[in-house]
Amino acid sequence: MPFNFGEEEMNLDDSVTATCSITKGDLPLKIWWTFQGVDDLVPYNLTSNDGIVISRTGQKISMLAIDSLRPLHRGLYSCYAQNKGGFTNHSANLAING
């Protein structure tokens, strides 16, 4: 299921969450997040750091949460899912005012 951060820019110190929910596909399922900042040439795999928390809330659901937005959080977030049958991904841009 697609996720987004809304149409308007977020403000510094706002909090935001994104849920990556896989509705179809067999288990086991690997889910991971990547981030490409505005100054990054290539995306990199995200882990819980720099104010970002990634949690697996179910076998087909992963949530990304940021409690207090900072300029370093501005960029493109992607969720990837893979099982033996295939691979899919979805991306959304997080715009921050300030």
Side-chain angles (χ1 to χ4, degrees), residues 4-10 93 95:
N4 66 56
F5 297 107
E7 294 181 20
E8 296 183 21
E9 288 184 340
M10 305 292 290
N93 189 58

Side-chain angles (χ1 to χ4, degrees), residues 58-96:
Q59 291 185 328
K60 294 185 175 186
I61 300 171
S62 178
M63 185 167 46
L64 179 143
I66 304 172
D67 285 332
S68 183
L69 289 174
R70 298 284 173 245
L72 64 91
H73 297 128
R74 183 182 291 119
L76 186 68
Y77 290 81
S78 301
C79 176
Y80 294 83
Q82 181 178 17
N83 66 8
K84 289 181 181 180
F87 170 88
T88 189
N89 71 312
H90 178 75
S91 300
N93 189 58
L94 175 58
I96 301 173

Side-chain angles (χ1 to χ4, degrees), residues 3-98:
F3 64 90
N4 66 56
F5 297 107
E7 294 181 20
E8 296 183 21
E9 288 184 340
M10 305 292 290
N11 293 314
L12 293 175
D13 296 322
D14 282 354
S15 63
V16 68
T17 61
T19 302
C20 184
S21 179
I22 311 305
T23 57
K24 296 182 180 183
D26 295 330
L27 298 174
L29 186 65
K30 179 181 177 185
I31 302 174
W32 70 98
W33 293 86
T34 66
F35 173 69
Q36 184 172 0
V38 293
D39 296 326
D40 296 334
L41 297 177
V42 295
Y44 61 89
N45 287 345
L46 272 178
T47 58
S48 292
N49 61 19
D50 291 329
I52 297 172
V53 175
I54 297 173
S55 57
R56 189 82 178 249
T57 58
Q59 291 185 328
K60 294 185 175 186
I61 300 171
S62 178
M63 185 167 46
L64 179 143
I66 304 172
D67 285 332
S68 183
L69 289 174
R70 298 284 173 245
L72 64 91
H73 297 128
R74 183 182 291 119
L76 186 68
Y77 290 81
S78 301
C79 176
Y80 294 83
Q82 181 178 17
N83 66 8
K84 289 181 181 180
F87 170 88
T88 189
N89 71 312
H90 178 75
S91 300
N93 189 58
L94 175 58
I96 301 173
N97 182 20

